[in-house]
Amino acid sequence: MTLSIAPLSPGFVAELSGVDLREKLDDAVIEGIVKAIDRYAVVVFRGQPLTEEQQIAFAERFGPLDIGLKRVSKAGQAAPKERLKNDILIDISNVDADGRPVQRTDPKIVNNIANQLWHSDSSFQSPPAAYSMLSAQTVARKGGDTEFADMRAAYDALDEDMKAELVELVGEHFALHSREILGADNWTQAQKDAIPRVHWPIVRSHPGSGRKLLFIGAHACRVLGMTVPEGRMLLQDLLEHATQREFVYRHKWTVDDLVIWDNRATLHRGRRFDFTEKREMRRSTTVDASGLLPAAA
Ligand code: OGA
Ligand code: MN
């Protein structure tokens, strides 16, 4: 099997084909995928009907898996009946364990809505996420696309004054900030404490390409050394810059698509869809095993 790579642009998003992800792939193929992600940050596979176990086996080739925000929902709470059999996978759906769309008031809907804010998965924890892999089981008839924004191109396009201003600035990331933006504030102390706040430089270097990037998004809640309003306004301005259409790819899902993105080089967000209709996605996420995504030199 030979991996084929069809770039959508020279530096962002490629469609990969020629391999069956249900099989045990040679190391060379995995390395080829890693290289493609290093270069294009988002890669799209079509027609990959993976079971949960096949998705886990494939994902584990890229590093240890992690449950991210599930740590908050689990903290001190009775475990809800899960739709997925494997706890290491993340259920990105609006469907309950019996296969029915959940009520509009269900916590799952809050999570769906928070995913519609631009973010980098698990930027609120240390180590943060490296790759996320989203497998489409059931797609919405209308809406429900996912958008990806290129944080390396966005950094490159900043003017020199702004680049100079950002050197040494550090953002604070907090797991519940995106939920707070949306007005969801009924958290227990155990949930607030489940994931300690972390600090990451706003400009970082991408390990696989050496390119500088903006590390921002909905989990970033303030900038160290600034008042909360000043920091949030700066983060807001950077986000607005970084998510202009020229930096954005919009993925329209087909069942059995698998999209992999590098959370260290991109932001993403889901788009609206009708919550009374089923949309079922399954995510596996690796952590940055080095834990040391560096500040830009
Ligand atoms: C995610 C996510 C967006 C979507 O799975 O991490 O943000 O479109 N998903 O479901
Ligand atoms: Mn996400």
Side-chain angles (χ1 to χ4, degrees):
M1 284 189 291
T2 315
L3 183 68
S4 298
I5 302 176
L8 255 63
S9 76
F12 193 51
V13 190
E15 189 157 328
L16 306 192
S17 58
V19 289
D20 182 341
L21 305 185
R22 294 172 299 189
E23 295 183 3
K24 186 170 185 322
L25 300 170
D26 293 342
D27 288 346
V29 173
I30 299 294
E31 280 161 28
I33 296 171
V34 169
K35 266 191 154 165
I37 302 170
D38 281 345
R39 173 149 182 191
Y40 300 106
V42 180
V43 299
V44 175
F45 291 91
R46 305 277 189 182
Q48 298 284 350
L50 301 175
T51 63
E52 290 186 28
E53 290 72 24
Q54 287 164 340
Q55 182 171 352
I56 293 168
F58 172 69
E60 282 178 337
R61 301 290 298 278
F62 298 87
L65 303 188
D66 186 72
I67 58 169
L69 205 68
K70 261 202 211 178
R71 252 177 233 112
V72 171
S73 51
K74 287 180 164 214
Q77 305 292 103
K81 195 172 160 207
E82 296 277 353
R83 187 180 70 92
L84 301 178
K85 295 193 296 287
N86 293 280
D87 195 43
I88 196 68
L89 293 173
I90 300 162
D91 180 18
I92 306 289
S93 80
N94 61 337
V95 174
D96 66 19
D98 302 318
R100 287 185 297 253
V102 296
Q103 299 288 315
R104 282 196 119 80
T105 49
D106 193 280
K108 272 195 150 176
I109 298 293
V110 178
N111 288 328
N112 267 289
I113 296 172
N115 280 342
Q116 294 177 18
L117 297 167
W118 286 108
H119 65 282
S120 165
D121 288 335
S122 300
S123 72
F124 48 71
Q125 67 177 36
S126 179
Y131 302 148
S132 287
M133 312 175 181
L134 199 56
S135 163
Q137 316 294 305
T138 308
V139 302
R141 270 178 306 174
K142 203 172 140 217
D145 301 341
T146 307
E147 291 183 325
F148 299 90
D150 181 349
M151 291 304 110
R152 296 179 297 188
Y155 175 82
D156 291 345
L158 292 171
D159 64 39
E160 295 307 314
D161 286 349
M162 184 53 110
K163 285 181 183 167
E165 215 180 294
L166 296 179
V167 173
E168 295 188 359
L169 286 187
V170 173
E172 180 169 297
H173 296 238
F174 177 47
L176 295 180
H177 180 59
S178 61
R179 275 61 181 167
E180 287 168 355
I181 292 174
L182 296 170
D185 54 7
N186 51 340
W187 307 101
T188 64
Q189 199 58 42
Q191 288 177 316
K192 287 184 198 164
D193 295 341
I195 306 179
R197 292 160 189 265
V198 288
H199 297 149
W200 303 121
I202 288 177
V203 178
R204 311 187 82 180
S205 285
H206 180 248
S209 63
R211 293 179 61 192
K212 289 186 188 178
L213 61 109
L214 285 172
F215 198 63
I216 53 177
H219 306 310
C221 59
R222 68 187 190 104
V223 177
L224 300 190
M226 288 186 180
T227 62
V228 171
E230 189 186 0
R232 284 197 185 162
M233 202 61 237
L234 174 62
L235 291 166
Q236 181 64 37
D237 274 350
L238 291 172
L239 189 67
E240 198 171 308
H241 161 78
T243 55
Q244 296 176 84
R245 297 325 294 181
E246 61 193 288
F247 306 127
V248 173
Y249 162 71
R250 184 177 188 122
H251 187 74
K252 290 195 176 296
W253 293 96
T254 303
V255 171
D256 294 335
D257 285 353
L258 182 87
V259 175
I260 308 180
W261 64 90
D262 190 338
N263 286 292
R264 302 165 301 184
T266 57
L267 294 180
H268 63 281
R269 65 170 178 183
R271 302 302 280 145
R272 289 188 70 193
F273 65 99
D274 178 354
F275 290 136
T276 62
E277 223 189 273
K278 288 208 257 185
R279 179 177 186 268
E280 297 174 280
M281 319 288 271
R282 201 204 280 147
R283 197 177 93 202
S284 40
T285 293
T286 68
V287 283
D288 197 335
S290 73
L292 294 174
L293 176 55

PDB file of all heavy atoms in Angstrom, residues 115 119 121 261 268 283, ligand 2:
ATOM      1  N   ASN A 115     -17.767  23.394  21.417  1.00  0.00           N
ATOM      2  CA  ASN A 115     -16.915  23.004  20.284  1.00  0.00           C
ATOM      3  C   ASN A 115     -17.083  23.933  19.090  1.00  0.00           C
ATOM      4  O   ASN A 115     -16.318  23.859  18.139  1.00  0.00           O
ATOM      5  CB  ASN A 115     -17.226  21.566  19.844  1.00  0.00           C
ATOM      6  CG  ASN A 115     -16.557  20.542  20.724  1.00  0.00           C
ATOM      7  OD1 ASN A 115     -15.616  20.857  21.443  1.00  0.00           O
ATOM      8  ND2 ASN A 115     -17.042  19.314  20.690  1.00  0.00           N
ATOM      9  N   HIS A 119     -10.916  26.645  18.959  1.00  0.00           N
ATOM     10  CA  HIS A 119     -10.091  26.141  20.060  1.00  0.00           C
ATOM     11  C   HIS A 119      -9.042  25.156  19.568  1.00  0.00           C
ATOM     12  O   HIS A 119      -9.108  24.650  18.449  1.00  0.00           O
ATOM     13  CB  HIS A 119     -10.971  25.479  21.129  1.00  0.00           C
ATOM     14  CG  HIS A 119     -11.692  24.241  20.643  1.00  0.00           C
ATOM     15  ND1 HIS A 119     -12.821  24.298  19.853  1.00  0.00           N
ATOM     16  CD2 HIS A 119     -11.426  22.919  20.817  1.00  0.00           C
ATOM     17  CE1 HIS A 119     -13.229  23.075  19.569  1.00  0.00           C
ATOM     18  NE2 HIS A 119     -12.392  22.204  20.130  1.00  0.00           N
ATOM     19  N   ASP A 121      -7.665  21.564  20.977  1.00  0.00           N
ATOM     20  CA  ASP A 121      -8.088  20.581  21.980  1.00  0.00           C
ATOM     21  C   ASP A 121      -7.085  20.494  23.127  1.00  0.00           C
ATOM     22  O   ASP A 121      -5.876  20.362  22.893  1.00  0.00           O
ATOM     23  CB  ASP A 121      -8.241  19.191  21.346  1.00  0.00           C
ATOM     24  CG  ASP A 121      -9.463  19.104  20.434  1.00  0.00           C
ATOM     25  OD1 ASP A 121     -10.410  19.877  20.633  1.00  0.00           O
ATOM     26  OD2 ASP A 121      -9.450  18.245  19.523  1.00  0.00           O
ATOM     27  N   TRP A 261      -5.953  16.379  12.823  1.00  0.00           N
ATOM     28  CA  TRP A 261      -5.347  17.709  12.856  1.00  0.00           C
ATOM     29  C   TRP A 261      -4.341  17.801  13.990  1.00  0.00           C
ATOM     30  O   TRP A 261      -4.431  17.090  14.981  1.00  0.00           O
ATOM     31  CB  TRP A 261      -6.403  18.809  12.977  1.00  0.00           C
ATOM     32  CG  TRP A 261      -7.220  18.832  14.235  1.00  0.00           C
ATOM     33  CD1 TRP A 261      -6.938  19.503  15.387  1.00  0.00           C
ATOM     34  CD2 TRP A 261      -8.484  18.171  14.464  1.00  0.00           C
ATOM     35  NE1 TRP A 261      -7.948  19.305  16.310  1.00  0.00           N
ATOM     36  CE2 TRP A 261      -8.893  18.499  15.770  1.00  0.00           C
ATOM     37  CE3 TRP A 261      -9.302  17.349  13.685  1.00  0.00           C
ATOM     38  CZ2 TRP A 261     -10.089  18.022  16.327  1.00  0.00           C
ATOM     39  CZ3 TRP A 261     -10.485  16.869  14.237  1.00  0.00           C
ATOM     40  CH2 TRP A 261     -10.862  17.216  15.543  1.00  0.00           C
ATOM     41  N   HIS A 268      -9.660  24.865  15.597  1.00  0.00           N
ATOM     42  CA  HIS A 268     -10.808  24.334  14.862  1.00  0.00           C
ATOM     43  C   HIS A 268     -12.086  24.702  15.599  1.00  0.00           C
ATOM     44  O   HIS A 268     -12.059  25.063  16.787  1.00  0.00           O
ATOM     45  CB  HIS A 268     -10.700  22.818  14.696  1.00  0.00           C
ATOM     46  CG  HIS A 268     -10.720  22.072  16.000  1.00  0.00           C
ATOM     47  ND1 HIS A 268      -9.610  21.972  16.811  1.00  0.00           N
ATOM     48  CD2 HIS A 268     -11.714  21.431  16.666  1.00  0.00           C
ATOM     49  CE1 HIS A 268      -9.921  21.273  17.892  1.00  0.00           C
ATOM     50  NE2 HIS A 268     -11.191  20.945  17.844  1.00  0.00           N
ATOM     51  N   ARG A 283     -13.864  10.732  18.635  1.00  0.00           N
ATOM     52  CA  ARG A 283     -12.535  11.338  18.593  1.00  0.00           C
ATOM     53  C   ARG A 283     -11.505  10.539  19.392  1.00  0.00           C
ATOM     54  O   ARG A 283     -11.804  10.070  20.501  1.00  0.00           O
ATOM     55  CB  ARG A 283     -12.597  12.755  19.160  1.00  0.00           C
ATOM     56  CG  ARG A 283     -11.392  13.593  18.784  1.00  0.00           C
ATOM     57  CD  ARG A 283     -11.551  14.997  19.304  1.00  0.00           C
ATOM     58  NE  ARG A 283     -10.931  15.104  20.594  1.00  0.00           N
ATOM     59  CZ  ARG A 283     -11.221  16.022  21.511  1.00  0.00           C
ATOM     60  NH1 ARG A 283     -12.177  16.915  21.280  1.00  0.00           N
ATOM     61  NH2 ARG A 283     -10.598  16.056  22.658  1.00  0.00           N
TER      62      ARG A 283
HETATM   63 MN    MN B   2     -12.205  20.182  19.569  1.00  0.00          MN
END
